[in-house]
């Protein structure tokens, strides 16, 4: 039995229409812009009034720590241009971290970097990924953004700059490489 392999004119018209509709988006790919940002998370996990990161859920009967599987932290860390606590503020890191590995070595990070400085005011970058907590350099994805960072994608690396176990205070250096269709 021979098959009828004659192209249908309506199939060709649809394909041509699809290619023409995609042309403007394909042309924009050459207009991508890369941006490098360095900022510092001022993280305070104490139970006091200055806390910026707290455990809010975990396994009943277990100690809620950043290495205990299932522990959920909520975070609202100040973002600064330098590692010093009194360095100029550029926004807040707001999100959650979940101890997601049974052995406590990895956490799931979901964070919105909410910018309040003059240059990026009102814009956000969205970070998401698996953070290997005990690695010297941890990497997560930049999955989106708003405002000046609309349609952003890229990656962010974290390095511990300072840890003070006595006060539960730490500073994390965040290096962001983002690519966006818009200048920003």
């Amino acid at each position: 039995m021979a098959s009828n392999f004659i192209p249908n004119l309506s199939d060709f018209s649809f394909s041509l229409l699809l290619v023409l509709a995609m042309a403007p988006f394909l042309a924009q790919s050459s207009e991508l812009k890369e941006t490098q940002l360095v900022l510092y998370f001022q993280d305070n996990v104490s139970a006091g009034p200055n806390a910026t990161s707290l455990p809010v859920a975990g396994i009943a009967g277990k100690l809620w720590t950043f290495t205990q599987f299932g522990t959920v932290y909520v975070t609202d860390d100040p973002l600064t241009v330098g590692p010093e606590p009194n360095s100029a503020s550029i926004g807040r890191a707001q999100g959650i971290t979940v101890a997601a590995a049974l052995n406590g070595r990895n956490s799931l990070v979901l964070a919105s970097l909410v910018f309040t400085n003059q240059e990026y005011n009102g814009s956000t970058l969205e970070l998401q990924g698996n953070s290997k907590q005990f690695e010297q350099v941890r990497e997560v994805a930049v999955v989106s953004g708003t405002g000046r960072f609309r349609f952003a994608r890229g990656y962010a690396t974290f390095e511990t700059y300072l840890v003070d176990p006595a006060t539960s205070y730490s500073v994390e250096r965040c290096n962001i490489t983002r690519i966006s269709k818009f200048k920003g």
Side-chain angles (χ1 to χ4, degrees), residues 78-125:
L79 295 174
T80 59
V81 296
E84 300 79 19
N86 59 353
S87 185
S89 175
I90 56 174
R92 308 289 294 191
Q94 299 171 333
I96 61 172
T97 303
V98 180
L102 287 172
N103 65 6
R105 300 194 61 79
N106 299 337
S107 62
L108 171 65
V109 175
L110 303 166
S112 295
L113 306 186
V114 181
F115 291 90
T116 57
N117 63 332
Q118 186 173 359
E119 185 176 4
Y120 301 120
N121 189 31
S123 299
T124 66
L125 278 172

